[in-house]
Amino acid sequence: MILPLSIPSPDMQFLQIGPLRIYFYALCIIVGIVLAAIWTARRIGLRGGERGAVFDFLVWSLVLGIVGARLYHVVTHWGDYFGAGKNPMEILAFWNGGIAIFGALIGGGIGVLIASRISGIRFWSFADALVPGLLLAQAVGRLGNWFNHELFGGPTTLPWGLEIESTNPAFPIGLPEGTLFHPTFLYEALWNLLGIVVLLAIERKLRPRWGTFFAMYLVWYGIGRAFTESLRVDPSLLFLGIRTNVLAALLAIVAGIVIYIVQRKRHVGLEFSVYLPGRSNPLDSILSDTANRDEYFHVIDRGDAAPAAQAETVADDAPADPDPAGATETSKSL
C-alpha cells in the first residue's frame, strides 16, 4: 500500500552524456569524499598541520578503502558472484553498488597509516580530525543506496516507508506489490548527521585527542549501524545466527571502547603537535632553516630590512661635500 508520505525510489540511476554514463551512486560517494577532505584539511590546519597533507591521506585511503570495501562486500555476499549462472567478473563492477563501509574503514585505515609515515602527521591526530567529515561523507554516500534501490529494510506500515518495485531482485518473495520497506539508508544518514552535532559538542567541551575522539566515532557509528543492519533483508553471511555486518558493528563499538581506554592511559597530557617526533609542518621547517638572517636576508623580509635599505639609499643619494676641510673650519668657528 502506497501511503501519502511514503518515499519513492528514484526513476533515474545515472546520467547518460553521449557514450559516458555517470551513476548517481558514484557521484554521491565522490561528493562525500570531497566534502570530507575539505573539512578535514581545515581541521588539520587549525591544529598546526599542513592542509595539503590531506591529499596524501586522501589518495592512499581512497584507493585502499575502495579495495577493502569491495572485498568485504564480496566475501560477505559470496553467492552473488560465484556459483551457477554467476559472473565473477562482476566483482570489478563496484559502480553497480556493493561496497561495505566496514571494509572501507579497514582498507582506509591502512591507507591512513601509510600516509602518516609519508606526511609525518600522527595517525591518531588525523583520525580525530577526520571524524565529522567522515560522518558527513557516509551520510551523503548513503543517498547512493537510495538511487540504486538497494539495502532497504524489512516491510513496514510507517508513513515514511520506502517504495521498491516488485521486479527488484532484492524484493522479498511472497510479499505483495506495493509493500513499503524501512528506508535504512535514511536512518543511517540521519544518525550520521546527528552524530556530527553530538560529537562536535563533546569535542568543544572535552577536547578529546590522541585518538579518543575517533574512538567515540566508532562507538557512535557502531550503535547506529547495528540497528540499521538488523532491519535489512538483503542476503548476507550469518555467523552464530547473526548477520556479519551486525557483528562488525558490535566489534566497532568494542574497538572504540578499547581504543578510548588505552589511549587515555597512554597519553595523559595535552597534544601539542599533530606531527610525529622529529617531524613538523614544512612551513615551520622553512622558517627554522632560514633563520640565519645574514644568509637569507634577501629571501625573507624580517621587518628591519626596509628601514636599513632606506637609510642606505639616502646615504647614497646625498651629495658629496666638495670641501670637507672648509666644513670643519666652519664647525669650529660656531
Side-chain angles (χ1 to χ4, degrees):
M1 177 181 178
I2 306 300
L3 300 178
L5 298 179
S6 61
I7 303 173
S9 293
D11 295 329
M12 295 180 59
Q13 294 179 291
F14 57 85
L15 290 175
Q16 191 73 39
I17 305 176
L20 181 63
R21 178 173 291 185
I22 304 175
Y23 284 86
F24 291 115
Y25 179 85
L27 285 178
C28 290
I29 294 177
I30 293 173
V31 170
I33 291 173
V34 171
L35 292 176
I38 293 173
W39 199 347
T40 304
R42 181 178 181 277
R43 285 168 58 83
I44 282 290
L46 291 175
R47 298 185 186 185
E50 182 191 9
R51 295 190 179 193
V54 171
F55 183 75
D56 293 324
F57 287 92
L58 176 62
V59 172
W60 282 100
S61 61
L62 179 59
V63 173
L64 295 183
I66 291 176
V67 173
R70 189 59 174 175
L71 288 178
Y72 186 98
H73 171 79
V74 172
V75 170
T76 55
H77 296 77
W78 194 260
D80 292 346
Y81 304 96
F82 299 94
K86 303 298 182 181
N87 181 14
M89 293 303 296
E90 282 294 317
I91 292 176
L92 303 177
F94 62 88
W95 51 85
N96 289 332
I99 58 175
I101 184 60
F102 292 115
L105 288 175
I106 296 172
I110 297 174
V112 168
L113 185 60
I114 295 174
S116 172
R117 299 303 173 182
I118 295 174
S119 66
I121 295 178
R122 299 177 191 270
F123 175 91
W124 290 118
S125 298
F126 180 83
D128 285 340
L130 176 65
V131 168
L134 180 58
L135 284 170
L136 179 59
Q138 290 171 329
V140 175
R142 276 305 168 202
L143 293 178
N145 299 134
W146 179 48
F147 281 105
N148 271 8
H149 304 196
E150 62 182 1
L151 306 187
F152 47 87
T156 181
T157 57
L158 293 172
W160 54 80
L162 178 65
E163 301 173 17
I164 295 293
E165 66 282 3
S166 59
T167 56
N168 190 307
F171 194 95
I173 299 175
L175 292 180
E177 184 176 357
T179 299
L180 299 180
F181 300 89
H182 281 288
T184 52
F185 78 91
L186 180 61
Y187 295 162
E188 186 172 332
L190 293 176
W191 179 256
N192 291 338
L193 293 176
L194 178 61
I196 295 175
V197 176
V198 172
L199 292 182
L200 286 181
I202 294 175
E203 184 183 44
R204 283 192 293 269
K205 186 174 182 62
L206 302 180
R207 300 292 179 184
R209 294 293 189 268
W210 303 106
T212 56
F213 193 48
F214 184 76
M216 295 178 184
Y217 154 79
L218 289 177
V219 173
W220 179 272
Y221 184 74
I223 292 173
R225 188 60 186 270
F227 170 74
T228 57
E229 281 292 335
S230 64
L231 295 176
R232 283 167 49 175
V233 295
D234 56 299
S236 179
L237 289 180
L238 300 179
F239 183 77
L240 299 178
I242 304 175
R243 291 171 63 94
T244 52
N245 283 345
V246 174
L247 288 176
L250 297 177
L251 288 176
I253 298 173
V254 174
I257 295 173
V258 171
I259 291 173
Y260 184 87
I261 294 174
V262 170
Q263 292 299 95
R264 287 276 293 181
K265 289 184 177 181
R266 289 183 60 188
H267 303 282
V268 295
L270 299 176
E271 182 188 73
F272 293 105
S273 173
V274 298
Y275 283 93
L276 295 166
R279 306 289 292 272
S280 63
N281 190 319
L283 295 178
D284 297 335
S285 299
I286 291 174
L287 293 177
S288 176
D289 294 341
T290 60
N292 187 338
R293 62 184 299 166
D294 294 330
E295 184 177 358
Y296 291 97
F297 71 93
H298 60 290
V299 177
I300 299 178
D301 182 1
R302 298 187 180 279
D304 57 350
Q310 183 177 4
E312 292 176 1
T313 302
V314 172
D316 292 341
D317 294 342
D321 191 342
D323 186 10
T328 303
E329 292 177 1
T330 302
S331 63
K332 289 181 177 178
S333 64
L334 294 174

